[in-house]
Amino acid sequence: MISIFIVFAVFILFYVNKMTNSLCIQKEIPEERQHKVFRTINVLITILLISSYVELLYT
């Protein structure tokens, strides 16, 4: 179960980063702010994935 979830999580993180990059290009976000945008989104998605895994673990 954990190996499937890890593969799923990596795919989700990759796809979200791809969409974040598209957002930065479309909205013309400066290079110095892009790092903060990526970090914030990655932290929030990681928290979401961890809480999803914990929920699946205890159900």
Side-chain angles (χ1 to χ4, degrees), residues 8-58:
F8 174 72
V10 168
F11 173 74
I12 293 296
L13 280 171
F14 175 75
Y15 194 72
V16 167
N17 279 329
K18 185 176 173 183
M19 290 190 306
T20 304
N21 189 36
S22 297
L23 173 75
C24 289
I25 291 171
Q26 182 181 10
K27 296 296 180 181
E28 298 175 354
I29 297 174
E31 286 286 327
E32 56 273 359
R33 287 194 53 213
Q34 286 184 14
H35 179 68
K36 289 182 181 180
V37 171
F38 274 96
R39 185 175 18 160
T40 302
I41 290 175
N42 282 335
V43 166
L44 293 174
I45 294 297
T46 303
I47 291 169
L48 178 68
L49 288 169
I50 290 171
S51 65
S52 298
Y53 179 72
V54 169
E55 184 179 343
L56 285 175
L57 194 64
Y58 290 114

